[in-house]
Amino acid sequence: MTKPEIAKLGYVSLVTQDLEKSLGFFREVIGLEETEAINGVHYLRAWGDFEHHTLSLEQGERAYVKHIGWRTKAKEDVSGFKALLGDEGIAVETIAPWSTPGIGEAIRFEAPSGHTFEIYYDVKKPKAPEHRRSVLKNQTYKAWAKGISPRRIDHVNLHTSEDWQVTYKFFQEILGFKLREYLKVDDGDQILAGWMSVTSLVHDVALVSRKKDEIPTNARLHHLSYWVDDSQDVLRAADICKEYNLPICGPGKHSISQALYLYVADPGSGCTVEVFTGGYLIFDPDWEPVAWNESERALGNTYWGDSISAKEIVKYTIEA
């Protein structure tokens, strides 16, 4: 029997303690388009995203990530994952079709990392309003309407204090992620961070292992990332963030992934957003994961630009 497969990152469901600030940040600074708002939940996407949303925002008493959505390659993969997860003894909740706007039947579960994931296939792809619609038939909205204006969602970076062997095995053997690059201890095989993907990207998800006394909860989101087309867009993003008096980290370049980055936090939720471009794509079916040693961590994180220590990075995570 063929294993079910994940096709791509779908969306992040974010709860914020200040919805007004978060909406202002994501709509005006990042420049996302709002598809609709239903029952207090706002659904947003980038100008090049076709699906109903890549981010949902709602008010809560505290900021945290409710779940992260992944779209499968085929409709039958949803039930395939449900059976596979059940065989692993993982409790699975079935979400009725379209109870989340734009998303058909889904399953929701807690991964061994402590993060809640949602898996689905059926989606709606609403057209942009006529006055915002691009003349390009292969693009949803007119580009560059406001703010940083990223093209699409790119990846998420997750932190966990759960058992590293169990979590990496689950992500690879059950969910089907391929390890592209990883950071390990100098003397041994323990993985400290792994960059994994189901697409040709260097990573659709980065998973960072933490000691239990390093993070306040066992599952954290360090950042969600939106893609811009080139390096000039990252520099422009830095200008926009400074105009809004928002502290930034970067612009800079990672050695791992070779991508350009800029980090900025949503003032409403504290959620960090990475504006991301460059890097490389992987097409080789026999790709050998690139190993970095712990002593090379600083270089792996930052080829050039602002350097952040491993301890400082933790400060920019929120509960997931």
Side-chain angles (χ1 to χ4, degrees):
M1 180 180 175
T2 304
K3 275 192 171 183
E5 296 181 274
I6 292 173
K8 61 187 286 288
L9 173 64
Y11 75 103
V12 173
S13 176
L14 178 63
V15 177
T16 173
Q17 58 192 12
D18 193 325
L19 182 59
E20 184 178 354
K21 283 185 178 179
S22 291
L23 283 172
F25 173 78
F26 281 104
R27 290 191 300 206
E28 304 305 323
V29 181
I30 301 299
L32 300 185
E33 300 283 351
E34 185 168 323
T35 311
E36 60 181 334
I38 300 176
N39 297 325
V41 184
H42 296 255
Y43 298 92
L44 304 101
R45 58 182 175 174
W47 58 259
D49 287 324
F50 292 96
E51 294 169 20
H52 181 271
H53 62 279
T54 51
L55 176 70
S56 67
L57 284 172
E58 60 187 280
Q59 179 69 47
E61 293 183 359
R62 71 184 200 283
Y64 67 98
V65 174
K66 290 177 69 176
H67 54 266
I68 296 166
W70 303 91
R71 193 179 182 202
T72 61
K73 285 190 174 181
K75 185 180 180 70
E76 57 268 23
D77 287 337
V78 178
S79 58
F81 273 115
K82 184 176 182 178
L84 191 60
L85 292 164
D87 290 342
E88 293 294 313
I90 294 174
V92 177
E93 177 188 3
T94 299
I95 309 300
W98 318 118
S99 55
T100 299
I103 293 176
E105 183 177 5
I107 59 171
R108 204 172 288 171
F109 62 94
E110 185 177 299
S113 62
H115 299 89
T116 300
F117 287 163
E118 182 177 277
I119 289 178
Y120 56 91
Y121 175 75
D122 288 327
V123 297
K124 291 181 179 177
K125 300 180 180 181
K127 293 184 179 296
E130 187 65 38
H131 71 286
R132 286 289 299 116
R133 193 174 302 170
S134 174
V135 297
L136 292 170
K137 293 184 178 181
N138 53 9
Q139 183 171 305
T140 311
Y141 296 89
K142 297 173 183 176
W144 311 112
K146 55 185 178 178
I148 294 167
S149 197
R151 178 183 288 268
R152 59 171 174 80
I153 195 170
D154 192 84
H155 67 267
V156 287
N157 181 298
L158 310 177
H159 290 209
T160 180
S161 60
E162 298 296 343
D163 186 287
W164 71 274
Q165 290 176 308
V166 173
T167 54
Y168 283 100
K169 182 179 180 181
F170 178 84
F171 271 74
Q172 293 177 81
E173 296 186 7
I174 304 301
L175 298 184
F177 285 94
K178 295 180 176 65
L179 187 64
R180 304 305 196 177
E181 301 198 46
Y182 66 101
L183 177 73
K184 70 178 190 67
V185 295
D186 289 336
D187 300 314
D189 297 324
Q190 181 182 351
I191 297 178
L192 301 173
W195 287 257
M196 298 175 282
S197 69
V198 290
T199 65
S200 296
L201 301 177
V202 177
H203 65 311
D204 298 300
V205 60
L207 183 64
V208 180
S209 296
R210 292 289 177 193
K211 295 177 182 178
K212 290 189 180 296
D213 61 354
E214 287 183 333
I215 52 179
T217 55
N218 67 324
R220 312 289 294 179
L221 172 77
H222 180 266
H223 64 261
L224 65 97
S225 175
Y226 277 93
W227 172 271
V228 292
D229 285 347
D230 58 36
S231 57
Q232 185 58 45
D233 295 334
V234 177
L235 300 180
R236 177 175 168 273
D239 281 343
I240 290 170
C241 290
K242 295 305 290 185
E243 288 285 0
Y244 280 92
N245 198 30
L246 294 170
I248 59 175
C249 174
K253 181 176 180 177
H254 296 303
S255 295
I256 296 170
S257 81
Q258 296 188 30
L260 301 182
Y261 66 83
L262 176 81
Y263 295 103
V264 59
D266 164 29
S269 68
C271 178
T272 299
V273 176
E274 181 182 30
V275 180
F276 192 79
T277 195
Y280 62 93
L281 299 174
I282 297 171
F283 299 105
D284 295 345
D286 57 349
W287 177 264
E288 291 291 331
V290 177
W292 297 75
N293 290 323
E294 187 174 11
S295 56
E296 302 171 306
R297 187 169 204 156
L299 174 62
N301 285 343
T302 309
Y303 187 47
W304 51 260
D306 288 343
S307 296
I308 303 179
S309 71
K311 287 185 178 180
E312 286 179 312
I313 284 174
V314 174
K315 293 190 300 185
Y316 300 99
T317 66
I318 66 170
E319 183 180 352

